[in-house]
Amino acid sequence: MGKLIAIANQKGGVGKTTTTVNLAACLGVLDKKVLLIDADPQANASSGLGIDVEADAPGTYQLLEHNCTAEEAIQKTTAANVDIIPAHIDLVAIEIELVNMDKREYMLKQAIESVKSKYDYILIDCAPSLGLLTLNALTAADSVIIPIQCEYFALEGLGKLLNTIKSVQKIHNEQLDIEGLLLTMYDSRLRLSNQVVEEVQNHFTNMVFKTIIQRNVRLSEAPSHGESIIYYDVNSKGATNYLSLAKEIISKQ
């Protein structure tokens, strides 16, 4: 049975999509079968893996509406062993459309039940909000990775997210676990970066991944080529960091 991991933080620009795409590709390179679910209306994870987000193919929106099966929504990506359920701009409407539905928090969980056993890992790229889309992801997930950028406002809003996770555990998904806090955009030359790392590690100790994702130009270039970092530049710092994260996650199993 595949392990389902949501990558979530209601703050934008912390490295959620970068982490989802590159972690998926690195797990794939390490011979794990991966399904990436793009649950962000911006659809950056989909385009970052070479999917045409303008194409009229079923995706996360149709899946949550139960207008198609998970099998019908799955597409192959250019990355080895990685499939995707892509997002399109129509996903913006789902929050409003789910509001009056019965068991609205369980739509994603129900929709992907049939494919869970076909993958080693299912990664969900969450939208930068704590709305119904993210709630669906957390209700379906076994665990959550929280990316935190090594910058001044890093811990702002983290309490809110941890409270949301607690209430999801209490009401919808008592099995939900925190896979780990992932420090991203680290620049060893900046005193602030080092202070944030120290603060997060002191405060959250074992909850923090050993792997730290460093700032890396190649990492920001890769999506514009529709590729993950491991295919774009295997020798870059970004590729090394995400491979290390993938190995750390596998070793926890």
Side-chain angles (χ1 to χ4, degrees):
M1 190 64 102
K3 181 167 191 181
L4 211 147
I5 305 175
I7 290 87
N9 191 329
Q10 76 272 31
K11 276 170 76 77
V14 296
K16 276 190 302 293
T17 301
T18 303
T19 294
T20 314
V21 166
N22 293 304
L23 177 56
C26 289
L27 287 166
V29 163
L30 296 169
D31 280 337
K32 299 295 178 189
K33 201 152 173 25
V34 184
L35 173 65
L36 192 160
I37 300 173
D38 193 348
D40 182 349
Q42 293 174 70
N44 292 339
S46 304
S47 57
L49 281 173
I51 301 292
D52 177 8
V53 296
E54 302 295 323
D56 193 21
T60 315
Y61 175 74
Q62 288 76 10
L63 187 69
L64 286 166
E65 285 275 299
H66 291 211
N67 288 338
C68 74
T69 64
E71 287 84 353
E72 288 167 337
I74 290 171
Q75 294 185 34
K76 290 252 169 277
T77 72
T78 48
N81 294 320
V82 180
D83 292 343
I84 189 169
I85 295 179
H88 306 92
I89 191 64
D90 55 10
L91 192 56
V92 165
I94 201 73
E95 299 262 335
I96 298 158
E97 291 173 24
L98 284 180
V99 163
N100 297 318
M101 285 194 185
D102 195 29
K103 297 211 161 204
R104 58 193 183 189
E105 296 89 357
Y106 297 89
M107 291 298 174
L108 185 60
K109 187 182 172 76
Q110 292 165 358
I112 58 176
E113 205 53 56
S114 60
V115 296
K116 266 189 98 169
S117 57
K118 297 176 185 170
Y119 295 93
D120 297 306
Y121 291 94
I122 298 175
L123 304 182
I124 309 176
D125 185 30
C126 294
S129 75
L130 293 178
L132 263 176
L133 263 175
T134 300
L135 200 51
N136 261 271
L138 294 175
T139 302
D142 297 308
S143 64
V144 55
I145 291 174
I146 304 170
I148 298 173
Q149 84 278 44
C150 297
E151 283 168 11
Y152 184 63
F153 291 117
L155 298 178
E156 192 186 63
L158 185 60
K160 205 185 227 175
L161 177 60
L162 293 173
N163 285 338
T164 300
I165 290 168
K166 264 192 202 126
S167 66
V168 169
Q169 286 166 329
K170 206 178 290 179
I171 305 164
H172 306 296
N173 180 3
E174 55 187 35
Q175 265 75 51
L176 183 64
D177 205 1
I178 293 180
E179 189 75 23
L181 306 181
L182 177 68
L183 290 155
T184 62
M185 304 179 196
Y186 172 70
D187 187 338
S188 58
R189 298 164 303 178
L190 299 179
R191 180 153 18 122
L192 181 62
S193 268
N194 293 304
Q195 280 172 344
V196 171
V197 169
E198 206 175 304
E199 195 176 332
V200 172
Q201 286 173 341
N202 287 342
H203 196 71
F204 294 100
T205 55
N206 298 339
M207 283 167 70
V208 188
F209 283 108
K210 291 186 180 70
T211 303
I212 294 177
I213 310 299
Q214 292 163 284
R215 269 199 189 281
N216 180 233
V217 175
R218 306 297 274 167
L219 207 47
S220 16
E221 289 172 356
S224 62
H225 297 265
E227 288 184 331
S228 67
I229 190 63
I230 199 92
Y231 290 91
Y232 182 63
D233 186 352
V234 71
N235 298 313
S236 67
K237 245 185 219 160
T240 309
N241 290 166
Y242 277 110
L243 258 178
S244 160
L245 178 66
K247 287 174 183 166
E248 199 175 331
I249 286 169
I250 291 168
S251 72
K252 280 183 163 194
Q253 284 285 79

